[in-house]
């Protein structure tokens, strides 16, 4: 026999045997649900039915809903009733009947949840795409997953839209063009980092107040020193006048003496005058008063910046159609490239001319640029290394399939070109473009390379490891600097420090003499994508996927300024004299200029 419960049950019940009357509630006439005893009348009801009754339906006695206790005897008897698994019944004409195509198990009500959680007929959605694949019995799901065509690439959050069978996705991952890109910042990470920065900002404000008071004291001392300096300057001017008077007197005495003692033509007053005149013109020649003026490149000449200072945005260079990923400088020209596969040329002497040349050839995103003599070298997602003549601004040579994965970084040392990719570095002869050496077995992606100032050592940035290599001979491995700061996305170097930009939003500073970590620069809330230091090594510029550029003082390891002018992540920064250029995913290049500030003027970010 089978019995049914009403349709309001959350879990449907189909009894194997017919119910006896003592299992039925006298109010609703159905199988007890949460049976309770009314202490006053002694009768049993469903809990919901009892709470809604003011008088007992059996003996018409008054009921008190506050005097209800669980009828554990009836609960135990109901738990021992046999029912069919809910995945083996179906509804027909308003009642539940057994479904011959479903589960045929007979189970106790008390054990139903344990059985139904493990039942092979439990319906489960396809974890890959429930909308297109539908629902399966748990016993059939594994078979479906073997042929499901909706597995997604694990780099979906970076923009990859590929999907297919499990084996197809596995093959796709080995050549996915998105795996080298950073993940986007989650809202939760952004909020956590913002809270941490607010706390740090409060501490900095307290320090700033303290420093402001000290500056006020120093201002008072400065005024006193200025008065003393003015007095010293006045004394110096008086002494200088006395010195000039004495020098005139000495010259008069020497002239009188020479007239008396010098009789030969070689020692005549005229000969002395000519020799003196010739010697005095030598400094003028050195200073460039005669002949062409030769000056070093602005990007190599040590900066003369004095604190306090700030950078201000003075314009934008527009022309790229997609993200700007990399820069290079040659003479007075800037070369930029990125997601539109193009290399654009900008004249920095006449910046208002805009883009003066576009060089085409790459078929994929260009991630890195380097300069060798009068040539530009480029590499990226199309796996090729292309060489461009910068005098004619045309492609001169190309190495196809130079790497198996996208070329993430490159640097030129002497006549050797070092190019980095997934787990390896290759060395090429720039004269012949022949492959000279391969450094393999590196840990994960090599996204950044930098050369020591003496050109003797190459540093490579990987996940939790910095490799050190000789730049000549057999390119010997000189050692590693292990760390636990995650993947490295950028590197910079000074006489004293190796500076590392990481995926975990921080900049790590290592002492070059000991290869030890000495400081952490915190302030970015995104991947630190690019680093550049000034020629003197006193100041650092960092860019990040958080859309900002930060200026740092490496003498005291403190931030100077944060530049907010881009509307998307900033991928590259480069210095040109007193100018800073930045390239972003908003397709624009921003131009910032150095400005000296007066004491007491508040720094603006």
């Amino acid at each position: 026999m089978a019995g049914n419960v009403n349709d309001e049950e959350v879990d449907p019940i189909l009894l194997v045997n017919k119910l006896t009357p003592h299992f039925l509630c006298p109010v609703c006439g159905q199988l007890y649900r949460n049976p309770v005893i009314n202490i006053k009348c002694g009768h049993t009801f469903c809990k919901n039915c009892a709470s809604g009754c003011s008088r007992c339906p059996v003996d018409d006695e008054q009921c008190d809903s506050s005097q209800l206790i669980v009828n554990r005897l009836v609960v135990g008897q109901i738990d021992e009733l046999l029912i069919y698994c809910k995945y083996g019944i179906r509804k027909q004409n308003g009642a539940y009947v057994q479904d011959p195509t479903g589960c045929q198990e007979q189970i106790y009500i008390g054990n139903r949840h344990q059985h139904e959680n493990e039942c092979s007929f439990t319906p489960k959605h396809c974890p890959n795409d429930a909308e297109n694949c539908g629902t399966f019995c748990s016993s059939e799901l594994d078979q479906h997953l073997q042929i499901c065509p909706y597995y997604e690439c694990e780099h979906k959050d970076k923009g990859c839209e590929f999907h297919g069978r499990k084996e197809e996705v596995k093959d796709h991952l080995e050549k996915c063009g998105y795996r080298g890109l950073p993940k986007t910042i989650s809202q939760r990470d952004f909020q956590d980092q913002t809270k941490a920065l607010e706390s740090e900002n409060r501490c900095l404000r307290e320090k700033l107040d303290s420093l402001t008071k000290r500056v006020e004291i120093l201002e008072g001392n400065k005024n006193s020193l200025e008065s003393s300096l003015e007095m010293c300057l006045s004394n110096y001017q008086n002494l200088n006048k006395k010195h000039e008077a004495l020098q005139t007197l000495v010259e008069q005495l020497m002239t009188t003496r020479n007239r008396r003692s010098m009789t030969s033509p070689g020692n005549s007053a005229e000969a002395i005058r000519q020799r003196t005149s010739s010697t005095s013109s030598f400094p003028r020649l050195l200073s460039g008063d005669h002949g062409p003026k030769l000056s070093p490149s602005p990007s190599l000449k040590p900066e003369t910046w004095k604190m306090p200072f700030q950078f201000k945005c003075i314009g934008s260079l527009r022309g790229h159609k997609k993200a700007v990923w990399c820069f290079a400088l040659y003479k007075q020209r800037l070369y930029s490239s990125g997601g539109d596969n193009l290399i654009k040329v900008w004249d920095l002497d006449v910046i208002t001319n805009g883009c003066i040349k576009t060089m085409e050839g790459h078929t994929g995103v260009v991630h890195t640029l380097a300069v060798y003599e009068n040539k530009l070298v480029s590499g990226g997602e199309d796996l090729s290394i292309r060489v461009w003549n910068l005098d004619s601004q045309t492609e001169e040579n190309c190495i196809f399939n130079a790497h198996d994965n996208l070329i993430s970084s490159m640097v030129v040392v002497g006549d050797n070109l070092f190019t980095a990719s997934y787990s390896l570095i290759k060395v090429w002869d720039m004269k012949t473009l022949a492959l000279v050496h391969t450094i393999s077995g590196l840990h994960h992606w090599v996204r950044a390379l930098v050369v020591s100032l003496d050109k003797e050592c190459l540093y490579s940035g990987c996940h939790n490891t910095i490799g050190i290599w000789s730049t000549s001979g057999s390119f010997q491995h000189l050692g590693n600097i292990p760390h636990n700061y995650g993947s490295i996305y950028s590197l910079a170097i000074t006489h004293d420090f190796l500076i590392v930009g990481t995926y975990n939003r921080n900049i790590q500073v290592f002492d070059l003499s000991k290869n030890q970590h000495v400081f952490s620069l915190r302030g970015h809330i995104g991947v630190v994508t690019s680093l550049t230091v000034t020629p003197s090594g006193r100041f650092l510029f960092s860019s990040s996927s958080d859309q900002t550029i930060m200026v740092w003082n490496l003498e005291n390891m403190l931030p100077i300024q944060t530049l907010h002018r881009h509307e998307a992540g900033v991928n590259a920064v480069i210095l040109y004299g007193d100018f800073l250029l930045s390239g972003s995913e908003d397709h624009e290049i921003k131009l910032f200029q150095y400005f000296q500030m007066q004491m007491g003027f508040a720094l603006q970010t």
Side-chain angles (χ1 to χ4, degrees):
M1 297 293 293
N4 298 354
V5 297
N6 61 26
D7 292 340
E8 295 178 358
E9 280 288 350
V10 175
D11 292 322
I13 293 178
L14 179 61
L15 295 161
V16 175
N17 301 309
K18 184 177 180 180
L19 285 176
T20 57
H22 72 274
F23 285 113
L24 302 178
C25 174
V27 177
C28 64
Q30 304 293 333
L31 179 68
Y32 284 118
R33 291 165 292 167
N34 301 320
V36 294
I37 298 176
N38 190 307
I39 296 176
K40 189 168 185 178
C41 67
H43 295 114
T44 300
F45 311 95
C46 296
K47 185 176 181 180
N48 288 341
C49 295
S51 61
C53 290
S54 59
R55 305 190 71 83
C56 176
V58 178
D59 54 16
D60 200 33
E61 291 289 334
Q62 188 172 1
C63 294
D64 185 354
S65 60
S66 64
Q67 297 183 3
L68 301 175
I69 61 173
V70 177
N71 191 332
R72 301 192 182 280
L73 177 62
V74 176
V75 170
Q77 291 174 336
I78 291 175
D79 283 347
E80 293 179 354
L81 294 176
L82 279 175
I83 62 171
Y84 292 103
C85 173
K86 70 177 180 180
Y87 300 122
I89 61 177
R90 58 186 173 85
K91 206 166 189 180
Q92 181 176 310
N93 298 326
Y96 287 102
V97 297
Q98 192 174 2
D99 184 357
T101 63
C103 178
Q104 302 300 307
E105 290 287 332
Q106 297 179 6
I107 55 177
Y108 293 108
I109 288 180
N111 297 331
R112 73 173 302 175
H113 293 299
Q114 178 181 352
H115 165 79
E116 290 169 353
N117 288 337
E118 301 171 354
C119 182
S120 61
F121 286 86
T122 303
K124 291 187 177 181
H125 297 296
C126 175
N128 298 326
D129 193 327
E131 183 177 351
N132 288 316
C133 294
T135 304
F136 303 87
C137 293
S138 59
S139 60
E140 299 173 350
L141 183 60
D142 289 341
Q143 182 178 359
H144 163 74
L145 291 176
Q146 297 298 321
I147 60 172
C148 179
Y150 292 103
Y151 280 93
E152 295 178 336
C153 175
E154 65 183 40
H155 302 298
K156 176 186 177 183
D157 55 348
K158 301 175 185 178
C160 184
E161 298 179 353
F162 180 86
H163 62 80
R165 295 188 178 183
K166 191 173 184 179
E167 291 300 321
E168 293 173 343
V169 172
K170 184 178 180 181
D171 294 339
H172 161 78
L173 282 174
E174 296 179 358
K175 55 185 178 180
C176 179
Y178 289 85
R179 60 182 174 180
L181 300 179
K183 293 183 178 179
T184 55
I185 305 171
S186 69
Q187 185 66 21
R188 183 175 179 180
D189 286 345
F190 184 86
Q191 292 173 349
D192 292 345
Q193 190 69 15
T194 300
K195 290 179 181 178
L197 288 175
E198 288 174 350
S199 175
E200 186 175 352
N201 191 39
R202 285 193 294 270
C203 295
L204 289 175
R205 287 185 181 278
E206 293 174 0
K207 293 180 180 179
L208 181 61
D209 292 339
S210 175
L211 290 172
T212 302
K213 294 178 181 178
R214 293 178 62 185
V215 169
E216 291 174 354
I217 296 172
L218 290 173
E219 284 281 357
N221 294 337
K222 173 176 171 284
N223 294 333
S224 176
L225 289 172
E226 284 179 349
S227 299
S228 299
L229 181 60
E230 288 177 0
M231 185 179 298
C232 290
L233 183 60
S234 177
N235 293 335
Y236 169 75
Q237 290 173 346
N238 292 332
L239 288 172
N240 193 43
K241 290 178 181 178
K242 291 179 181 180
H243 170 73
E244 290 176 352
L246 288 172
Q247 189 176 24
T248 301
L249 179 60
V250 170
E251 288 177 353
Q252 290 174 353
L253 292 173
M254 289 295 295
T255 302
T256 302
R257 181 172 178 269
N258 287 337
R259 286 175 180 174
R260 294 175 180 175
S261 62
M262 295 184 183
T263 57
S264 65
N267 290 329
S268 66
E270 178 64 22
I272 293 173
R273 187 190 65 77
Q274 290 177 355
R275 287 199 297 270
T276 304
S277 176
S278 176
T279 303
S280 66
S281 69
F282 186 66
R284 290 199 297 272
L285 286 171
L286 281 181
S287 64
D289 290 343
H290 301 278
K293 294 184 179 181
L294 301 176
S295 60
S297 169
S299 60
L300 300 177
K301 184 179 179 181
E303 76 283 355
T304 57
W305 305 342
K306 295 180 181 179
M307 293 288 291
F309 65 81
Q310 69 175 359
F311 276 79
K312 295 183 180 179
C313 183
I314 61 172
S316 301
L317 303 180
R318 298 183 177 92
H320 283 286
K321 298 178 181 178
K322 293 186 178 180
V324 180
W325 277 98
C326 51
F327 286 144
L329 283 171
Y330 178 70
K331 295 184 177 179
Q332 287 75 38
R333 290 181 176 176
L334 172 73
Y335 296 84
S336 62
S337 191
D340 56 9
N341 314 341
L342 304 174
I343 300 175
K344 290 191 173 287
V345 188
W346 314 83
D347 188 343
L348 295 180
D349 280 349
V350 191
I351 201 69
T352 54
N353 287 343
C355 178
I356 61 173
K357 177 72 174 179
T358 298
M359 300 190 294
E360 302 180 12
H362 279 286
T363 59
V365 178
V366 180
H367 284 276
T368 179
L369 296 171
V371 173
Y372 169 74
E373 295 180 348
N374 68 332
K375 295 175 173 52
L376 178 72
V377 189
S378 57
E381 203 171 85
D382 63 5
L383 314 183
S384 70
I385 298 173
R386 296 177 186 267
V387 182
W388 311 80
N389 187 304
L390 295 183
D391 295 328
S392 62
Q393 295 180 356
T394 58
E395 184 176 341
E396 189 174 271
N397 215 329
C398 179
I399 306 173
F400 293 99
N401 298 318
H403 282 264
D404 293 332
N405 291 282
L406 70 85
I407 300 168
S408 53
S409 182
M410 62 172 57
V411 66
V412 174
V413 185
D415 290 331
N416 290 324
L417 170 68
F418 294 80
T419 59
S421 183
Y422 182 79
S423 76
L424 59 81
I425 300 171
K426 290 188 176 183
V427 188
W428 310 83
D429 186 334
M430 282 302 301
K431 298 293 186 183
T432 63
L433 291 187
L435 179 62
V436 177
H437 187 71
T438 298
I439 302 171
S440 59
L442 281 74
H443 188 50
H444 213 263
W445 276 97
V446 184
R447 293 187 176 91
L449 299 174
V450 72
V451 180
S452 60
L453 298 184
D454 60 9
K455 308 298 182 183
E456 296 294 328
C457 297
L458 174 74
Y459 293 84
S460 61
C462 302
H463 181 77
N464 286 348
T465 305
I466 301 170
I468 311 173
W469 316 86
S470 173
T471 58
S472 59
S474 60
F475 308 101
Q476 181 182 359
H477 182 211
L478 303 179
N480 289 325
I481 305 177
H483 61 87
N484 59 355
Y485 302 113
S487 296
I488 295 175
Y489 277 73
S490 52
L491 290 172
I493 200 164
T494 70
H495 287 285
D496 301 317
F497 303 119
L498 176 66
I499 306 167
V500 177
T502 66
Y503 175 81
N504 65 7
R505 306 181 290 278
N506 294 326
I507 301 170
Q508 310 298 340
V509 182
F510 292 82
D511 185 334
L512 278 177
S513 62
K514 300 177 182 178
N515 288 340
Q516 291 181 353
H517 181 266
V518 293
F519 211 85
S520 296
L521 303 179
R522 297 182 176 89
H524 284 297
I525 56 174
V527 177
V528 182
T529 55
S530 179
L531 299 169
T532 188
V533 294
T534 59
S536 70
R538 295 168 55 211
F539 304 106
L540 169 72
F541 297 84
S542 61
S543 66
S544 171
S545 59
D546 64 9
Q547 306 181 12
T548 68
I549 302 161
M550 294 193 69
V551 189
W552 306 85
N553 187 337
L554 293 180
E555 294 178 321
N556 54 23
M557 299 297 174
L558 289 175
I560 298 173
Q561 186 182 9
T562 302
L563 303 173
H564 301 268
R565 294 309 295 263
H566 284 288
E567 297 180 358
V570 186
N571 297 322
V573 287
I574 196 168
L575 272 174
Y576 181 76
D578 288 342
F579 296 93
L580 175 73
L581 297 109
S582 60
S584 167
E585 294 188 21
D586 62 11
H587 311 171
E588 292 189 0
I589 299 170
K590 298 289 184 184
L591 181 63
F592 300 87
Q593 185 177 4
Y594 162 87
F595 286 93
Q596 183 68 46
M597 298 169 59
Q598 298 297 322
M599 284 295 293
F601 190 87
L603 286 177
Q604 297 180 353
T605 58

